[in-house]
Amino acid sequence: MKNSSEADILAVVESAKRAASNLMRTGRVWEYSLLSRIMKSPDPIGRQPRSRKFLLCPICKKTHWSLPVHLRRSCMRTSSEADILAVVESAKRAVSNLMRTGRVWEYSLLSRIMQSPDTIGRMIEELESRGNAVVGIPTEAPTAAVPAVPDVPVEAPAESSSESSGELYQCPDTTKQGTSLRERMASLGYYKKHSLDHDLLVSFAKFLQFDMSNENFKQEVENVARFLYFMDPQQASLLFVRQHEKSREYFLKLSEAGLSKQTVQNYIKSVKRFLKFHTGSTDLCFTDRVLHEDCKNYISFLDNIQMATSKQVSKETTRKRFDTFQEGVLSSTQVTAVLAAAKKDFLAVIGKLHAGECSPGHQLTLTELQLVLYYLEAIVILEHAQRPGVVEHMTVTEWISRRRDDTRPGFVVVAVKEHKTAATFVLTQEQEMWFDLYFSEVRPVMLGKKRKRVEDDDETDERFFISSTGKAIYNAYNDLERLHKKYQVPKVTSQMARRAYETATKELSDVQKTKVAGYLTHSTATAEKHYRMKEMGSAVDAFLILRNLRGDSE
């Protein structure tokens, strides 16, 4: 305003002061229900709730004109004066930080939040990291709606008796370990993390993605970001290597919160790999030799922790196997119960696609698009007893290269080679038609939802199964769980399905057992032979055996 009058400048300053005062009074506490409505609105990025001041009480999550008086009378009436003053000082620092960083949001950050699998959870993390508080979080996390994308029209379904359900059922990925554990971790602050855009984390992510070809690198980077936040909430740095006791305390607290010993080990491995990258693949040894040596000593410290907890991991694994034994084995019918429950809705959507009612899939609702995706994933995992990695790694090239059994032309064989165990599964003519409709009609719509990023375009475009966000499937287990939850069928995992089929073959001949075993698990060497007629015949034989075990008529 260098060309404006002094009066105009003073007016702007006064307006900014009033805005700051209002922000301190009402802008730091957000109702969960309000966030939920925003995330589900047609334009969640464009709709920002109005601002709401004073000092925030960290206990009752309410703002107060005089926080010291409130603490003495209510939330900390049994605490010492020193403790009360310490909380007040912390609240003042939080206010200062909020005024400095909490009012300006990058559109790109909001866009990343909208694209995350758990939009509400990700928004809560970002708000809390900026000194805000979210209240009214339900005891059971509601289903998170997938953000709408304007360039792909999604129309309401026409009224029809054969119409599939119109309810969205995209669930948060993080519910895998149970809502109570998630809530406990969140309430203890263990989900708080530094920005993934920090230089230390960006370079580590690129190393994992490009040098190590780690497809799940984002999870590992987030583990490190949470660890760094616990060690120093103010700034991400490598100085944590000089805090051995606090580090040990962090891993202990994760166990106390309810994480399994194996998961805690994964956190340790992530931190260890993070340090090995910075000590071996950066200029740290030249720029700070003392810190470089401290990092190497810290890696030895982590080795000692891993050795101490390895026996606990083994005991935990043994206990899980015993619990599985106690639970018993499912029948083949129970394994595919969700396919039977969802089949009517699924066929209604396929009927619309097959009849040419859609202009490639654009008139399907988002729910219907997801149903086709989830149902086909469930066919591979539950009916064909393949591991989730087969769904996650299957490529377009492998689908196009499917081969038909010349002696039994009613079956096609699909081979997935880029997976640690490699795999082959067999589809009937009807299932092949379903997969082909997904490939030609539904998948292009899913890809249309993708936000263009140069580094993952090629990988996403080559993957056969694409999520509703336009990216490659990250965890097929989550999609399978959503389908079970949607149709209120007891959850069945890949391991449970494979164990059920293996148990069901105990009365079969050795030759049949061998064929089924080969169908369930292939070596890499076997994968190279998938297109030979002999191997194709064995795969079809195994498929027919599994179908008979399920009692399928077709």
Side-chain angles (χ1 to χ4, degrees):
M1 299 181 67
K2 60 185 178 182
N3 297 325
S4 303
S5 65
E6 186 68 18
D8 290 341
I9 293 174
L10 291 177
V12 171
V13 171
E14 287 302 318
S15 175
K17 287 181 178 179
R18 287 194 298 271
S21 175
N22 185 53
L23 175 67
M24 299 306 299
R25 179 170 57 84
T26 64
R28 301 180 63 197
V29 179
W30 298 62
E31 279 288 341
Y32 183 92
S33 57
L34 174 61
L35 285 175
S36 182
R37 290 197 299 274
I38 293 172
M39 295 303 115
K40 294 176 181 178
S41 67
D43 184 13
I45 296 180
R47 183 187 172 190
Q48 283 296 310
R50 60 183 181 180
S51 298
R52 303 192 172 176
K53 172 180 171 178
F54 309 168
L55 291 183
L56 176 69
C57 174
I59 300 171
C60 66
K61 305 297 184 185
K62 295 180 180 179
T63 53
H64 299 275
W65 175 259
S66 178
L67 182 59
V69 173
H70 163 73
L71 294 175
R72 293 188 189 103
R73 291 179 178 176
S74 181
C75 289
M76 295 182 67
R77 58 180 179 271
T78 60
S79 302
S80 65
E81 187 68 16
D83 290 340
I84 291 175
L85 292 178
V87 170
V88 172
E89 287 303 316
S90 176
K92 288 180 178 178
R93 289 194 298 272
V95 164
S96 177
N97 183 58
L98 177 68
M99 297 305 298
R100 181 170 54 85
T101 65
R103 301 177 64 193
V104 178
W105 294 68
E106 284 285 344
Y107 183 89
S108 58
L109 173 61
L110 290 175
S111 183
R112 288 198 300 273
I113 292 174
M114 294 306 108
Q115 294 177 38
S116 64
D118 183 7
T119 52
I120 298 180
R122 180 70 181 86
M123 190 66 179
I124 290 173
E125 288 182 12
E126 191 64 35
L127 287 170
E128 290 178 341
S129 70
R130 293 170 179 246
N132 296 276
V134 178
V135 297
I137 299 177
T139 54
E140 292 189 5
T143 300
V146 176
V149 180
D151 58 347
V152 180
V154 178
E155 299 181 4
E159 293 185 4
S160 170
S161 58
S162 64
E163 191 66 64
S164 62
S165 171
E167 174 194 349
L168 286 178
Y169 53 100
Q170 182 86 350
C171 302
D173 287 348
T174 48
T175 57
K176 179 170 66 175
Q177 299 186 36
T179 304
S180 60
L181 175 58
R182 171 179 165 78
E183 288 179 349
R184 188 158 59 250
M185 290 286 289
S187 65
L188 293 172
Y190 298 152
Y191 282 147
K192 293 181 179 180
K193 59 179 180 286
H194 283 298
S195 171
L196 301 184
D197 295 328
H198 192 282
D199 290 344
L200 287 174
L201 297 172
V202 169
S203 58
F204 179 52
K206 290 181 178 178
F207 168 75
L208 292 177
Q209 183 180 11
F210 299 114
D211 294 15
M212 303 294 294
S213 299
N214 187 337
E215 295 183 354
N216 295 334
F217 69 94
K218 292 180 181 178
Q219 180 63 56
E220 191 156 351
V221 175
E222 286 186 353
N223 289 348
V224 176
R226 295 187 182 108
F227 171 77
L228 293 178
Y229 186 91
F230 179 86
M231 300 304 292
D232 185 356
Q234 303 301 321
Q235 178 65 36
S237 71
L238 295 176
L239 297 180
F240 69 86
V241 297
R242 296 165 182 168
Q243 296 176 286
H244 288 206
E245 290 301 321
K246 189 172 183 179
S247 303
R248 192 186 300 275
E249 177 189 357
Y250 175 73
F251 299 124
L252 180 61
K253 284 182 178 294
L254 290 182
S255 294
E256 292 174 347
L259 290 185
S260 67
K261 302 298 181 184
Q262 183 60 61
T263 303
V264 176
Q265 280 273 36
N266 292 339
Y267 270 82
I268 296 174
K269 289 178 181 178
S270 298
V271 176
K272 190 174 174 181
R273 186 175 296 183
F274 172 72
L275 281 178
K276 285 187 174 181
F277 161 70
H278 282 288
T279 55
S281 301
T282 67
D283 296 333
L284 182 62
C285 61
F286 303 109
T287 58
D288 194 332
R289 287 185 175 276
V290 176
L291 181 59
H292 182 267
E293 191 62 30
D294 289 341
C295 288
K296 291 171 65 178
N297 292 335
Y298 191 89
I299 292 174
S300 299
F301 162 73
L302 292 180
D303 288 336
N304 293 334
I305 294 181
Q306 282 185 298
M307 290 178 62
T309 57
S310 59
K311 289 186 178 180
Q312 295 175 331
V313 173
S314 299
K315 289 181 179 179
E316 185 177 70
T317 302
T318 302
R319 185 166 57 251
K320 286 181 179 179
R321 289 174 179 171
F322 178 77
D323 291 342
T324 300
F325 174 77
Q326 292 290 90
E327 290 173 0
V329 179
L330 298 177
S331 67
S332 302
T333 304
Q334 290 173 311
V335 167
T336 56
V338 71
L339 292 173
K343 190 168 186 178
K344 180 179 178 181
D345 285 350
F346 172 75
L347 290 179
V349 180
I350 292 295
K352 292 172 67 174
L353 291 171
H354 194 58
E357 297 178 17
C358 306
S359 168
H362 283 65
Q363 292 180 352
L364 293 181
T365 65
L366 184 56
T367 302
E368 291 171 326
L369 294 172
Q370 290 174 326
L371 176 58
V372 174
L373 172 67
Y374 296 166
Y375 196 91
L376 297 185
E377 290 182 74
I379 286 177
V380 176
I381 296 173
L382 300 180
E383 186 171 311
H384 296 284
Q386 301 298 323
R387 293 183 173 89
V390 175
V391 167
E392 296 158 9
H393 292 80
M394 181 178 168
T395 65
V396 170
T397 300
E398 288 165 344
W399 170 247
I400 295 175
S401 302
R402 65 191 184 278
R403 293 288 299 275
R404 191 169 304 280
D405 187 349
D406 291 338
T407 60
R408 286 167 288 191
F411 303 100
V412 294
V413 180
V414 181
V416 179
K417 300 179 183 178
E418 296 301 322
H419 178 50
K420 63 182 180 180
T421 56
T424 298
F425 60 92
V426 178
L427 299 177
T428 63
Q429 282 185 320
E430 182 181 38
Q431 290 175 339
E432 182 188 14
M433 180 266 290
W434 295 344
F435 275 70
D436 205 43
L437 282 174
Y438 160 81
F439 179 64
S440 60
E441 305 289 338
V442 175
R443 187 176 178 276
V445 180
M446 298 295 204
L447 283 174
K449 295 173 177 290
K450 180 175 58 176
R451 304 284 185 182
K452 284 291 182 181
R453 287 185 180 177
V454 175
E455 65 268 20
D456 57 25
D457 277 352
D458 293 340
E459 176 186 345
T460 299
D461 291 345
E462 177 61 14
R463 289 285 189 259
F464 181 79
F465 288 106
I466 301 296
S467 72
S468 55
T469 60
K471 299 179 181 178
I473 297 294
Y474 175 72
N475 191 333
Y477 174 92
N478 293 323
D479 292 349
L480 192 63
E481 185 176 24
R482 294 179 190 119
L483 190 63
H484 282 94
K485 192 173 295 184
K486 163 70 176 178
Y487 289 95
Q488 300 180 349
V489 176
K491 181 175 64 177
V492 179
T493 66
S494 168
Q495 287 184 332
M496 295 166 69
R498 293 167 67 83
R499 188 164 57 246
Y501 287 125
E502 288 167 355
T503 303
T505 62
K506 64 182 180 181
E507 302 298 331
L508 300 179
S509 67
D510 290 341
V511 173
Q512 290 175 314
K513 288 180 181 178
T514 301
K515 288 182 178 180
V516 172
Y519 190 75
L520 298 184
T521 306
H522 285 290
S523 66
T524 305
T526 304
E528 298 301 326
K529 305 175 184 177
H530 281 322
Y531 298 133
R532 296 182 183 177
M533 294 308 299
K534 182 179 178 181
E535 297 298 330
M536 288 179 61
S538 295
V540 175
D541 289 343
F543 167 74
L544 293 174
I545 293 171
L546 294 182
R547 193 168 70 174
N548 290 334
L549 292 174
R550 291 193 300 270
D552 291 352
S553 57
E554 306 179 350

